[in-house]
Amino acid sequence: MFFLENVRLALASLRSNKMRALLTMLGIIIGITAVVTITTLGNSLKSTLANSFNQIGGKYIDMSYSFKYEEDENGEYPEYRPMTDEDYVTDEMLDELEEKYPDKYLWSRYRHYGDGVVINHNQQKLNVSVDGVTDGYIRGDNTYVMLEGRSFTKDDEKGQRHSCIVSDVFVKQYFGRENANAVGCDITIDITKGCSSEFTIVGIYKFPKIFEKYAQSGVSFMDRSTMVFIPYSTCNKLSLKKDSKSNTSSVMLSSASYDRKDAIRELQEFFDEKYKNNRYWKVEFYDPMEDMGITTKVLNIVTIVISIIAAISLLVGGIGVMNIMLVSITERTREIGVRKAMGAKNGHIRTQFMVESMILCLIGGIIGVLLGLLNGVLIKLAASYALAQLPEYQDFVSLTIQPSIKAIVISLLFSMLIGLFFGSYPAGKAAKLDPIDALRYE
C-alpha cells in the first residue's frame, strides 16, 4: 500500500505539471526511441537478409575445385596445371553418390541443349531456349516457382523421358490464353543445329520478373524467348556432342531435417576418395550459411555500438530529471516539512521522490518504445514502396520488420535505472531536510 500510494502521488505530481514533465522526459524519450528504432532496424535487416538468402540459395551446399598444394613422397610440390576434363566431377560420380545416399542429395545439374522454335496453333514461331536440368536445379531457389504440374522425377531421369517444363509466358504464347490446360499436352521443338523432338509438358513455372527486366526492348510478346527445361539425362542423350563431365557446382539437401555439417563431412569424404589418385585437383564443399553467420555477427556488433551511442542521450535525459527533481523539492519543501511533522521518516521521503523519478523515466521510456515501434512501421512502409519500384526483385527479397523484445525490455529497465540513479541525490536531499526549517520555508 505504501508503494502504491507513492505511485499515486508521483502521477498526481506529473499531472499538475504536464508541460514541465513532458519537457523533462524529452531526453529519455529521444534516447529510447533511437535505441528501439536502431535495434528494430538491425533485427529486421538480419531477418530480411536471412530470408532472402534462403530463397536465393541458402538451401545449397557450394562445391568448388581446389588445386592440391601438397607434398609428394619426395617432399616436392606440384607445378600448377590447368584443369582438364579428367579433373571435373563426372555424372558417373554423382550417380554413384545418389545410389549410396538415395533421396538425400539433390544436385543442381545443368546443360544447355540449344535454341529452337515451337510452332503454335496459329502457325506462329515461338523462340525457346532448351536446357537440360535436374530436379535440384528447379527446386534450388525461388527463381523458378512451379505454378502447375510437377518437377522432374527419378523416372524422368532414368527413363530419359521427353518431359518438359515450360513457363506461363510460353503457355499464353502457345495456347493464346493464360489459363489453358497445358499439363499433359505435347509440343514439338525444332532445335537449331539439332534434331526436332516431341515433348510432353509436365509442369509450368512462373516466368521470373528479373528476366522480364532484361528482355530486349521493342521485342513483342510473341517474339519473347523463354526457357524450356527437359530432364538432364534426356539432354545428354539428344546432344550431338557427348560430354561426361558435370557442370554442377552445388548440391542441396532434400530435407531440412538433415544436419548440414554432417552432410558436408559426408560429401567431402566421398569425393576425397574419388580424387585420392588425382595429383593436381580436388573437390571442396562449403556451407554458404556460414557467410550469413558472419554477416549476422557484424550486424549485431554495429547495432550494439550504434545503440550505445544513442543511449548517451539517456544520460543527458537523466541530468534533466535530476534538475527538475531538485526544482520540485524546492517547491515542495513545506509539504516535506508537514509530512515529517506528521511522523514520516527519512526513508519514506526518500522513497517518495525516488518513485516519482522512476515513474517519470518509465513513462518517458514507454513513449519512446511506442515511437520506436512506429518508426519500424514507417521504415517497413518506405522499404515496401522502394521494393515496389523494383518488381523484378520482389521474388528474392522478403521484407520482415522484427522489433527486438529484449532491447525493449532492457530499454525500459535502463530508463528506470536512470531515474533511480539521477533521482537518488534529490531524494536524499529531500530526506535530510530539517522539519522545522522546512515548515518555516516560504
Side-chain angles (χ1 to χ4, degrees), residues 64-78:
S64 63
Y65 296 96
S66 177
F67 190 77
K68 290 183 178 180
Y69 288 102
E70 302 170 0
E71 293 182 87
D72 58 17
E73 59 275 7
N74 299 322
E76 297 179 354
Y77 291 89

Side-chain angles (χ1 to χ4, degrees), residues 16-308:
S16 63
N17 297 282
K18 297 184 181 66
M19 181 56 68
R20 187 172 72 178
L22 180 61
L23 293 176
T24 303
M25 293 186 294
L26 198 56
I28 303 295
I29 293 173
I30 293 174
I32 297 295
T33 300
V35 171
V36 174
T37 301
I38 291 169
T39 54
T40 299
L41 186 59
N43 260 23
S44 302
L45 187 57
K46 286 187 292 183
S47 299
T48 299
L49 286 176
N51 294 337
S52 301
F53 189 78
N54 284 327
Q55 289 180 346
I56 294 173
K59 303 174 185 177
Y60 279 126
I61 295 174
D62 289 339
M63 185 191 84
S64 63
Y65 296 96
S66 177
F67 190 77
K68 290 183 178 180
Y69 288 102
E70 302 170 0
E71 293 182 87
D72 58 17
E73 59 275 7
N74 299 322
E76 297 179 354
Y77 291 89
E79 294 184 4
Y80 178 81
R81 189 206 71 179
M83 291 187 69
T84 63
D85 289 346
E86 290 75 19
D87 299 321
Y88 287 93
V89 171
T90 63
D91 290 331
E92 289 74 16
M93 292 181 186
L94 300 183
D95 292 338
E96 184 179 339
L97 180 70
E98 290 178 352
E99 289 179 6
K100 186 175 182 179
Y101 304 103
D103 301 323
K104 183 173 184 178
Y105 298 108
L106 293 174
W107 287 90
S108 175
R109 301 159 84 174
Y110 165 87
R111 184 175 183 180
H112 180 61
Y113 181 26
D115 297 327
V117 295
V118 177
I119 307 298
N120 67 5
H121 298 299
N122 295 326
Q123 301 304 308
Q124 294 174 298
K125 291 184 178 181
L126 309 178
N127 298 316
V128 295
S129 175
V130 183
D131 301 314
V133 300
T134 57
D135 182 39
Y137 183 89
I138 299 293
R139 291 169 54 185
D141 53 48
N142 277 12
T143 304
Y144 305 104
V145 178
M146 296 296 296
L147 299 177
E148 294 182 40
R150 59 172 175 82
S151 183
F152 297 129
T153 63
K154 284 188 175 181
D155 291 335
D156 291 321
E157 285 290 339
K158 292 181 178 179
Q160 299 179 338
R161 292 179 177 176
H162 281 221
S163 306
C164 71
I165 300 175
V166 300
S167 70
D168 55 341
V169 172
F170 176 86
V171 170
K172 188 174 182 180
Q173 290 175 329
Y174 189 84
F175 294 96
R177 60 186 188 279
E178 293 181 357
N179 299 323
N181 188 17
V183 176
C185 296
D186 296 329
I187 59 173
T188 301
I189 305 177
D190 187 11
I191 304 298
T192 305
K193 297 181 180 180
C195 60
S196 179
S197 302
E198 189 175 84
F199 294 88
T200 300
I201 299 175
V202 296
I204 302 172
Y205 69 90
K206 181 176 177 60
F207 192 73
K209 294 179 180 179
I210 190 72
F211 294 159
E212 293 180 0
K213 178 183 178 181
Y214 296 106
Q216 294 180 350
S217 59
V219 175
S220 66
F221 177 79
M222 295 303 294
D223 291 332
R224 184 184 302 178
S225 178
T226 61
M227 291 79 66
V228 173
F229 298 120
I230 63 175
Y232 182 79
S233 59
T234 306
C235 179
N236 285 338
K237 180 186 74 172
L238 296 176
S239 296
L240 298 177
K241 181 181 178 181
K242 300 300 180 182
D243 189 3
S244 62
K245 70 181 181 184
S246 173
N247 292 326
T248 184
S249 61
S250 55
V251 59
M252 64 177 290
L253 296 172
S254 59
S255 172
S257 62
Y258 294 117
D259 185 86
R260 296 176 68 88
K261 291 185 178 179
D262 289 342
I264 291 176
R265 177 187 52 77
E266 201 170 68
L267 291 168
Q268 194 65 63
E269 290 177 354
F270 178 86
F271 283 97
D272 283 346
E273 178 66 23
K274 293 299 178 183
Y275 276 77
K276 67 179 180 180
N277 296 324
N278 191 314
R279 182 69 185 93
Y280 301 96
W281 291 92
K282 62 181 178 180
V283 173
E284 293 182 340
F285 292 88
Y286 177 75
D287 187 358
M289 292 301 291
E290 293 183 7
D291 293 334
M292 188 61 218
I294 295 173
T295 303
T296 299
K297 290 180 181 178
V298 172
L299 285 175
N300 284 336
I301 293 173
V302 172
T303 301
I304 291 173
V305 171
I306 298 178
S307 297
I308 292 174

